[in-house]
Structures are given as C-alpha cells and as structure tokens.
Amino acid sequence: VRMNHGLALEFARHDRHKEALPYFDRAIKLMQDKAFNQGIRDNGDASEAHTLAQYLFEKGNSLSELEEAQAALVQYDKAVALRPDRYAYQNRLAFSLVQSRQYQRGFEAFLACFSLRPTEADMVNNLGNVYMATGRGELAVRSYRLAHRLAPSQTDSL
C-alpha cells in the first residue's frame, strides 16, 4: 500500500496526475480489502478509515488537476463520508460542488466547514459567495460583513 501511495504522490507532485491515478487505485483497492485490513488491525493500526479517506482525497485532487470534476467529486464525497471531521476534505468537497453548480450541497458542505472552524473568515466569506450565486444577496452581504468583522485585514470579505 505504502509503495503504491508513495508512487502516486511522487507522480502527483510532478504534475503527472494521469500516471498517479493507477497507483492511487491500487492503494485504495488494497485499503478496501477486508483480509488486508484485518492484518492491519492485528498489528495495532486501527486507522484504515483515516488512511483510505486520505488516499481518496488525494486521488480527487489529481482528478481535479486533470479537470475531471465529476470524478474528483466522487472521491471527495467518499473521503468526507469516511472522515467528516476533516476540514480539508469538507472544503474541497464544498468548492467542487459549487464549481459544479450544485449550490445546495455546496452550501451544506461549507456549513460543515464552518462548524469545524467557526471563526474562520474565509468560510463565512464562502458562504456569502454561495448566497450570492443563488440570488440571496441580502444574506450574502450579511455573511461578507461577518467575515470582515472576523478578519478586518482580509480584502476578500470587503
């Protein structure tokens, strides 16, 4: 698993995302194998859900770089299902949903991000962007003002 994941990351780091995908697939397949995971648990490592979510997220990033938005979205959805507590996973899912014009689901994902980091001005600003994109200008302005109060030096919320 580690070898396949390591190769996938090396290819991805060098913007060779297409070459990274088969290695991500192999690592993910091994992580989903029950017999293999039993071996991991027997060795005291109970973090297979964390590891699998990470691999899915990273594969989603490579797919996103290849402009395969729907395929990336599937990977982000799977990663979030395994680890809804991970801000980075929720954030990428939210942006992917909004970029795919799935505003309601994107809004819900941004709310999940906000619940993980309620004082993060960027998240409040992003909620404002979704409000604006869905024609709710008054709520957008309220979000932008709150974001500005949270981080007055950030120009995005002005």
Side-chain angles (χ1 to χ4, degrees), residues 89-157:
Y89 302 172
Q90 290 281 4
N91 193 38
R92 283 303 289 253
L93 174 63
F95 274 108
S96 295
L97 288 164
V98 169
Q99 288 171 342
S100 299
R101 300 199 186 316
Q102 296 180 44
Y103 295 117
Q104 184 57 41
R105 284 193 62 216
F107 181 77
E108 291 166 9
F110 275 129
L111 280 177
C113 287
F114 179 70
S115 72
L116 294 170
R117 294 189 183 170
T119 59
E120 181 104 12
D122 285 342
M123 277 306 95
V124 177
N125 193 62
N126 290 334
L127 288 170
N129 292 341
V130 176
Y131 281 135
M132 189 62 76
T134 57
R136 297 180 281 179
E138 191 173 309
L139 290 171
V141 169
R142 288 176 64 190
S143 291
Y144 296 146
R145 285 184 180 151
L146 176 57
H148 183 66
R149 279 196 298 268
L150 290 170
S153 63
Q154 289 184 357
T155 56
D156 281 353
S157 61

Side-chain angles (χ1 to χ4, degrees), residues 7-8 28 33 35-36 38 45 48 104 132 143 147 149 151-153:
L7 287 168
I28 290 166
D33 182 89
F36 177 80
Q38 184 60 46
D45 186 355
E48 67 264 10
Q104 184 57 41
M132 189 62 76
S143 291
R149 279 196 298 268
S153 63

Side-chain angles (χ1 to χ4, degrees), residues 22-100:
Y23 292 102
F24 279 126
D25 288 337
R26 287 183 198 126
I28 290 166
K29 184 176 181 179
L30 284 171
M31 290 303 302
Q32 292 172 326
D33 182 89
K34 289 184 193 294
F36 177 80
N37 276 320
Q38 184 60 46
I40 290 175
R41 278 191 294 277
D42 290 344
N43 289 324
D45 186 355
S47 64
E48 67 264 10
H50 168 76
T51 303
L52 179 57
Q54 178 183 340
Y55 293 178
L56 292 164
F57 175 74
E58 291 166 348
K59 180 181 177 185
N61 289 343
S62 280
L63 288 164
S64 182
E65 289 295 324
L66 292 169
E67 298 181 5
E68 295 183 29
Q70 289 305 314
L73 191 54
V74 168
Q75 300 307 309
Y76 295 143
D77 261 332
K78 289 178 182 178
V80 166
L82 289 169
R83 292 297 307 268
D85 60 322
R86 291 297 304 250
Y87 176 83
Y89 302 172
Q90 290 281 4
N91 193 38
R92 283 303 289 253
L93 174 63
F95 274 108
S96 295
L97 288 164
V98 169
Q99 288 171 342
S100 299

